[in-house]
Amino acid sequence: MMSPALRETFAPLRLMMQDRLAVVGLCVLGLIFAMAVFAPLIAPQDPFAINEDEDGSVLMKSDEGWVLQPSLGHVALNDTASRPGEDLIVGREGSLWTRKNGGWSRTVLPAEVDLFGVDVTASGVALIVGEQGTLLLREGDKWQSLQSLAPVTLRSVSWLADDTALIVGDEETLWLFALADRSLTPVTSPINRGMSLRGVERDVDGTALVVGERGLALQYDPVSQQAKMLRLGTSRDLNDVHVSPAGIALAIGERGTLLRRDGPNADWVSDRTPDRRALMSGWIGDDGTGYAVGRNGIVMELVRGGEWTLANTESERHLRAILVTDADALALGSDRFVIRFSPPSPQHWFGTDHLGRDLFSRNIHGARIALLVGFLGAFLVMLIGTNVGLVAGYYGGRTDSILMRTVDVMYGIPFEPFALILVLLFKPSLLIVILAVSLLTWRTTARLIRAQVLSLRERPFVKAARVAGASDLRIMYLHILPNVMPLVFLELAITVGVSIIAEATLSFLGLGPPQSVSWGGILHDARLSGAWRTAWWWNLPPGLFIMSTVLSVFFISRSLEVVANPRLRART
């Protein structure tokens, strides 16, 4: 059997449990507390981590611009080659895609390294090069690895004839491949400075054009098996070169570099570029039209007359290759890109924001700031308000008048401007938010406690304590305070909800702690990004969390009224 004293102790809790809304509030608040405490375990990733993805992106030219097509997996596409009836595309992690009759198929290669270059002859013999000196040859339907001369990164390859190919790569690598005996012969570079060679293309006279970093350009003659230096009029890194069947050539590179040769014997000239972002691949035709693709989804088109224009892509995915056939034109990529404004998915339950951060993780961690400010701010409010109310109500007279006029002045100070002044005087931090909440919100608590103390100070037990010689402090804190504690706890529960709303308001206005994650801060980021009207997955979760937390606190405070008011207790 429970003793009467113990039963009296648990009586308030028993009264609260009789209120169904209070039970719901306790359960919801308990879940939010658990979410805040175990946030590092519940959240799938760091709330500040930027999510990136890699995608085999394909953009196809249409009348509306360049339209994003279905992805070719989660690896970047680096280079492409084509022959009648077949297109080959290579990329990272040993990926190879083949397109025949408009359909794509994935081919398993005997290598899992990143592949950077591919070329195919009219008879179907294909050669692929990649990092660590990787060489893959296809004769018929089978791919096989070839013995490399060195584990250097190979960047590009071009067939000079049906049985001879030139391979280029880092450290000024120049290898001549002979199909007959599958041998590799190194070619001496005339520069020999260890620079990277990034593109090679067969010219109409049977020689090969090679481009690389710092504007390096070479011409390889298969007859003499020697390479000589060319001057293209630039010192910027060149990433690719293409030659049309009629001998029109295009070299592209960093900072929007566009170098064009209008015929086999013409000089190289620099075209005016409409954008300064790096270009990675180019193509030019006999009719004077051309394409150049590069970083951040940039596609340039060369119209007849020699003017380059920016095409409409509506994509920021990096493009690294261009494939032009008689049927269509494709821009291929991409490097890793940030997953911005992603809607809810199995990987990101609440989607991602404008920086690619996981919103589920940010909302989970946001509970910590809300509860910390809510309960710590409410505790300070009760500490200030209770003491002011006790002193004003007990002493009365001039003391009461001074304190209550101070409360009246505090009522005249608006909350948001006051918090803004604190931020300007100091700097945005969690301490400033708590001070802004506690220094203004205590005024209502002080008035309520004062009113209660005014009725208690004339009670017989207070007079008896005064007659017995008790000091004013002893009477206030040992005799009067215990009698107003139910009202204090009631106000504490209400102030928790008010503090949570105040913190969310300050964070929404940009006055919250800058290095912390809060629900109001999430809404602030949504507003600043301009997507808060469309990205519903960004606004809805923090708003629901704020509403649920505040409602749960008010449901609990509703049941505390029964504890604070004996008349209501009698009715129950």
Side-chain angles (χ1 to χ4, degrees):
M1 292 292 292
M2 184 179 298
S3 65
L6 193 60
R7 189 182 300 112
E8 185 66 22
T9 302
F10 286 97
L13 182 61
R14 179 178 58 82
L15 293 173
M16 291 177 59
M17 293 297 101
Q18 293 176 357
D19 190 334
R20 294 181 180 179
L21 290 179
V23 174
V24 172
L26 286 172
C27 294
V28 172
L29 191 60
L31 289 175
I32 295 175
F33 256 108
M35 186 171 68
V37 173
F38 300 104
L41 301 177
I42 299 174
Q45 59 184 246
D46 189 290
F48 296 100
I50 297 176
N51 288 276
E52 295 180 326
D53 196 5
E54 199 168 48
D55 186 65
S57 305
V58 179
L59 276 69
M60 179 179 289
K61 181 176 174 57
S62 67
D63 295 337
E64 293 78 20
W66 293 78
V67 181
L68 188 65
Q69 303 297 304
S71 170
L72 294 182
H74 290 281
V75 290
L77 307 175
N78 294 325
D79 195 23
T80 180
S82 180
R83 68 177 182 126
E86 182 185 43
D87 303 317
L88 300 177
I89 300 174
V90 297
R92 293 191 62 248
E93 301 177 7
S95 59
L96 169 64
W97 290 87
T98 304
R99 184 174 72 156
K100 293 181 179 180
N101 300 321
W104 297 93
S105 61
R106 179 77 180 265
T107 302
V108 178
L109 296 177
E112 296 183 357
V113 298
D114 294 349
L115 305 175
F116 298 112
V118 59
D119 199 14
V120 60
T121 66
S123 61
V125 180
L127 188 61
I128 296 176
V129 299
E131 64 179 1
Q132 300 176 15
T134 300
L135 290 163
L136 300 173
L137 177 68
R138 184 189 72 178
E139 283 188 293
D141 296 329
K142 294 184 179 180
W143 289 90
Q144 55 183 312
S145 298
L146 301 179
Q147 184 67 35
S148 178
L149 295 179
V152 65
T153 297
L154 304 176
R155 298 289 180 181
S156 184
V157 58
S158 179
W159 288 99
L160 305 183
D162 288 340
D163 59 351
T164 306
L166 184 64
I167 301 167
V168 301
D170 292 351
E171 301 176 13
E172 290 184 39
T173 298
L174 284 165
W175 293 347
L176 188 65
F177 172 73
L179 180 61
D181 55 2
R182 300 182 181 179
S183 63
L184 292 170
T185 303
V187 178
T188 302
S189 170
I191 306 300
N192 196 24
R193 295 180 181 175
M195 292 189 288
S196 174
L197 302 177
R198 298 175 179 177
V200 58
E201 182 79 358
R202 182 185 182 276
D203 209 342
V204 291
D205 59 359
T207 62
L209 289 176
V210 181
V211 296
E213 62 180 347
R214 301 180 188 175
L216 176 61
L218 305 175
Q219 184 182 40
Y220 171 77
D221 185 357
V223 177
S224 63
Q225 296 188 357
Q226 292 183 351
K228 66 178 182 178
M229 184 177 176
L230 295 177
R231 297 188 181 277
L232 303 188
T234 183
S235 59
R236 296 173 181 170
D237 292 348
L238 298 175
N239 297 319
D240 190 29
V241 61
H242 182 261
V243 181
S244 75
I248 301 176
L250 174 68
I252 56 92
E254 67 172 353
R255 298 184 64 183
T257 300
L258 293 163
L259 302 174
R260 183 160 49 93
R261 187 190 71 182
D262 289 333
N265 300 317
D267 294 331
W268 289 86
V269 296
S270 178
D271 286 347
R272 183 177 179 180
T273 178
D275 195 279
R276 293 292 180 179
R277 283 171 285 188
L279 299 175
M280 305 304 296
S281 182
W283 179 93
I284 195 164
D286 290 338
D287 59 355
T289 61
Y291 303 101
V293 300
R295 298 185 63 84
N296 303 108
I298 184 174
V299 176
M300 298 182 186
E301 297 181 356
L302 175 64
V303 297
R304 295 180 183 178
E307 291 293 331
W308 290 89
T309 60
L310 279 177
N312 179 26
T313 62
E314 296 184 356
S315 173
E316 293 186 358
R317 304 182 182 188
H318 303 320
L319 303 174
R320 303 185 63 85
I322 181 74
L323 173 63
V324 181
T325 65
D326 294 336
D328 50 30
L330 303 176
L332 309 165
S334 67
D335 288 335
R336 298 183 68 85
F337 61 92
V338 176
I339 308 176
R340 297 185 178 94
F341 300 115
S342 173
S345 64
Q347 293 76 27
H348 306 286
W349 290 358
F350 291 175
T352 60
D353 62 10
H354 63 308
L355 297 179
R357 297 173 297 190
D358 182 68
L359 288 173
F360 177 74
S361 300
R362 292 182 68 78
N363 278 278
I364 293 297
H365 282 268
R368 292 185 157 188
I369 296 297
L371 295 180
L372 179 62
V373 174
F375 282 89
L376 186 56
F379 174 77
L380 291 178
V381 167
M382 290 301 102
L383 187 64
I384 299 172
T386 300
N387 283 279
V388 171
L390 276 173
V391 173
Y394 180 79
Y395 286 106
R398 180 175 297 179
T399 301
D400 181 34
S401 297
I402 294 174
L403 292 177
M404 288 303 100
R405 296 302 75 75
T406 303
V407 169
D408 293 338
V409 172
M410 299 299 290
Y411 269 113
I413 301 176
F415 177 70
E416 287 80 7
F418 176 75
L420 179 60
I421 291 174
L422 285 181
V423 171
L424 294 176
L425 290 177
F426 302 97
K427 62 180 180 179
S429 66
L430 187 61
L431 177 61
I432 294 300
V433 173
I434 295 175
L435 286 177
V437 171
S438 58
L439 291 179
L440 283 185
T441 317
W442 60 268
R443 52 202 177 186
T444 301
T445 303
R447 279 190 175 277
L448 291 174
I449 299 300
R450 169 187 173 273
Q452 189 76 1
V453 172
L454 286 175
S455 64
L456 289 174
R457 70 177 185 178
E458 301 300 331
R459 297 285 181 89
F461 70 91
V462 174
K463 294 180 179 180
R466 191 178 292 114
V467 171
S471 64
D472 292 338
L473 289 178
R474 183 178 182 85
I475 294 173
M476 282 192 296
Y477 290 101
L478 291 183
H479 295 278
I480 296 179
L481 181 60
N483 287 276
V484 300
M485 284 305 295
L487 183 60
V488 171
F489 284 119
L490 173 61
E491 282 298 304
L492 177 64
I494 296 175
T495 309
V496 169
V498 174
S499 300
I500 292 174
I501 295 176
E503 183 278 328
T505 302
L506 294 180
S507 296
F508 178 74
L509 296 175
L511 304 178
Q515 301 301 323
S516 301
V517 182
S518 67
W519 293 329
I522 296 174
L523 294 174
H524 172 71
D525 292 339
R527 180 177 61 86
L528 288 185
S529 71
W532 64 291
R533 296 180 183 275
T534 56
W536 59 267
W537 61 86
W538 199 344
N539 303 318
L540 191 59
L544 289 177
F545 276 124
I546 294 172
M547 182 184 69
S548 300
T549 306
V550 173
L551 281 179
S552 65
V553 172
F554 278 111
F555 286 161
I556 296 172
S557 67
R558 178 179 176 273
S559 66
L560 288 176
E561 292 182 9
V562 179
V563 179
N565 194 333
R567 296 180 180 178
L568 293 178
R569 191 186 311 177
R571 295 177 184 176
T572 59

